[in-house]
């Protein structure tokens, strides 16, 4: 009788791989918890840019963005419903179509606000199977649209203004002032510009198939992004339990419904492997970073009369202060720089040589105090 073969030993996962995986999970969970605990931002909704009533305004909060993706039926569509007051005339604006396209639209006029509200609420009920009055406890239904929480009332982000407002007899006017020279060194200026770069965010989102046109830069609310994290975790659990393709298709459809993607006319792909899961995690982390950067920008303090004589700070200096973090550029001759350079050269790829552009020493506000609490961890008294 032939000797029995020994079962092949399971390859051991290197500790470095395990640690990297744990760090990725920690980052993901930390971002999720931060988004879920963030306060809801409220603002005045704007009339849809495709609506011909450009000088109207949204009545109360009668505005919603709906989305529905069904991979099996190749559905990937949106529906906008708005109640608009145009100088005392009330109308309901509806626009619908495939994500990424302008779609079709309809504008209905009404003789009274009550009639317009009834039409809005009926359309919302038809499309979602939910009552408008109960939207805070929205329940998703198969074959119906899901309500998407978007960030309302944010102005378009741009370069920091180089004007300050001053009081005059006729009211307020803008006075152009000289911007003080930036106090940051050139590499740090470039780094801060990159951190707050709208173009960088847009390019990152387009690469990840996020619908930039429908969701202008970072317009998904923190709460909506958190729902995307949870939907992605559900897909990951299903994959780990060896769920069937049909189940993964349904869960993927729900994820694309919560975080709208622009796939053009092609069928949305099923999320069914670890590489895609990681790509979507990265995408959500980018969205969370966008929201953070925009929140920082929104907190900029407007400069008033006390700045008239001395001029306004450079925009990059203002952005740097918002980071609440000291960035010290390391000289190539420093000990820390040499250690990192050696590490990169030893562990980098063999087919090409990596080049270090710049290295910064980072000191976040109050971080030293938080680390100091754990200075004695892992230490034992010597006897």
């Amino acid at each position: 009788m032939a000797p029995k073969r020994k079962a092949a030993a399971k390859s051991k996962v290197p500790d470095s791989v395990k640690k990297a995986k744990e760090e990725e999970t920690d980052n993901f969970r930390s971002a999720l918890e931060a988004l879920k605990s963030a306060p809801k931002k409220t603002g005045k909704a704007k009339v849809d840019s495709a609506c011909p009533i450009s000088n109207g305004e949204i009545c109360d909060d009668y505005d919603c963005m709906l989305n529905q993706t069904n991979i099996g039926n190749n559905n990937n569509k949106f529906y906008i419903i708005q109640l608009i007051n145009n100088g005392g005339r009330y109308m309901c604006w509806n626009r619908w179509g495939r994500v990424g396209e302008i779609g079709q639209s309809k504008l209905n006029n009404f003789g009274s606000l009550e009639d317009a509200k009834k039409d809005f609420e009926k359309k919302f009920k038809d499309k979602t199977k939910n009552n408008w009055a109960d939207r805070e406890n929205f329940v998703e239904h198969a074959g119906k649209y899901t309500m998407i929480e978007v960030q309302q009332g944010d102005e378009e982000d741009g370069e920091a203004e180089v004007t300050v407002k001053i009081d005059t007899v006729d009211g307020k006017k803008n006075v152009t002032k000289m911007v003080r020279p930036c106090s940051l060194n050139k590499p740090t200026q470039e780094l801060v510009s990159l951190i707050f770069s709208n173009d960088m965010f847009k390019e990152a989102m387009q690469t990840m198939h996020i619908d930039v046109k429908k969701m202008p830069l970072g317009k998904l609310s923190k709460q909506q992004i958190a729902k995307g994290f949870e939907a992605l975790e559900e897909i990951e659990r299903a994959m780990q339990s060896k769920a069937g393709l049909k189940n993964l298709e349904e869960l993927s459809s729900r994820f694309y419904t919560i975080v709208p993607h622009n796939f053009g006319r092609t069928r949305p792909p099923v999320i069914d492997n670890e590489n895609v899961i990681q790509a979507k995690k990265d995408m959500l982390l980018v969205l969370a970073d966008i929201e953070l950067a925009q929140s920082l920008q929104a907190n900029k303090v407007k400069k008033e009369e006390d700045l008239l004589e001395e001029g306004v700070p450079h925009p990059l200096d203002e952005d740097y202060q918002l980071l609440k973090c000291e960035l010290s550029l390391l000289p190539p001759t420093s000990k820390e720089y040499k250690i990192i350079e050696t590490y990169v050269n030893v562990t980098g790829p063999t087919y090409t040589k990596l080049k270090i552009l710049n290295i910064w020493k980072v000191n976040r506000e109050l971080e030293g105090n938080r680390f100091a609490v754990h200075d004695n961890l892992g230490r034992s008294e010597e006897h």
Side-chain angles (χ1 to χ4, degrees), residues 10-22:
K10 291 184 178 180
S11 58
K12 185 179 179 182
V13 179
D15 290 339
S16 59
V17 175
K18 285 183 180 179
K19 187 175 181 181
K21 187 70 175 176
E22 289 172 358

Side-chain angles (χ1 to χ4, degrees), residues 20-32:
K21 187 70 175 176
E22 289 172 358
E23 288 177 353
E24 287 176 2
T25 302
D26 287 344
N27 290 339
F28 190 79
R29 295 302 308 172
S30 296
L32 174 58

Side-chain angles (χ1 to χ4, degrees), residues 107 115 117 120 127 248 353 374 380:
L107 185 65
D115 288 342
K117 285 183 176 181
F120 180 101
K127 296 299 176 184
L248 290 176
K353 183 175 176 60
H374 306 290
S380 57

Side-chain angles (χ1 to χ4, degrees), residues 97-137:
R98 194 167 182 89
V99 173
E101 299 179 4
I102 192 68
Q104 303 177 66
S105 60
K106 186 177 182 180
L107 185 65
N108 291 326
N109 289 278
F110 296 90
S112 69
L113 176 59
E114 288 307 311
D115 288 342
K117 285 183 176 181
K118 287 179 182 177
D119 182 81
F120 180 101
E121 292 172 8
K122 181 180 184 303
K123 182 66 69 175
F124 183 80
K125 179 69 176 287
D126 291 344
K127 296 299 176 184
T128 68
K129 209 174 178 180
N130 282 258
N131 292 317
W132 178 249
D134 301 325
R135 61 191 178 281
E136 291 297 327
N137 300 308

